[in-house]
Amino acid sequence: GLRSTPAQLADALAAQEKAAVAQQFFGVTSHGIAGIVHATGNEDCGLFFVPSGASASERAAATVAAAKAHPKANLVVDCGGAGFACTAQAELAAKLSALVAEGDQQLR
């Protein structure tokens, strides 16, 4: 998984897309032999999204905006983060849960 704030979202989504496709790169085995490594890619890569905003409502809005702007992204919302009180974390989780319960198709 990758971690991103709204400011870093474009770069993180580009990295997520690149991780999903097959690629080759140089590597070294556990026996010290150099070679070309083939990877099939990982389409299930998650992006841990740290929404910005002073209040839970602002962070919920940032999360919904990111989800709607990038519907193919696998966003996992970090309701905590440094500097946020546990009550604010619970409030954000409750707001996002309510949106899911209301049927918001971008959140799951």
Side-chain angles (χ1 to χ4, degrees), residues 4-11 48-53 58-59 62-63 66 70:
S4 174
T5 64
Q8 303 163 325
L9 189 57
D11 291 337
F48 294 94
F49 183 65
V50 183
S52 62
E58 290 175 1
R59 292 193 303 277
T63 301
H70 307 284

Side-chain angles (χ1 to χ4, degrees), residues 49-79:
F49 183 65
V50 183
S52 62
S55 70
S57 294
E58 290 175 1
R59 292 193 303 277
T63 301
V64 171
K68 289 185 179 186
H70 307 284
K72 292 185 179 181
N74 293 321
L75 296 180
V76 177
V77 181
D78 182 351
C79 291

Side-chain angles (χ1 to χ4, degrees), residues 30 47 76 87:
S30 60
L47 179 61
V76 177
T87 54

Side-chain angles (χ1 to χ4, degrees), residues 15-96:
Q16 187 178 33
E17 288 176 10
K18 289 178 182 173
V21 297
Q23 49 194 305
Q24 296 81 37
F25 50 92
F26 289 106
V28 178
T29 69
S30 60
H31 300 295
I33 300 171
I36 297 175
V37 177
H38 300 273
T40 59
N42 181 1
E43 293 180 5
D44 297 322
C45 183
L47 179 61
F48 294 94
F49 183 65
V50 183
S52 62
S55 70
S57 294
E58 290 175 1
R59 292 193 303 277
T63 301
V64 171
K68 289 185 179 186
H70 307 284
K72 292 185 179 181
N74 293 321
L75 296 180
V76 177
V77 181
D78 182 351
C79 291
F84 293 114
C86 59
T87 54
Q89 295 170 22
E91 185 180 350
L92 176 57
K95 287 192 178 295
L96 293 174

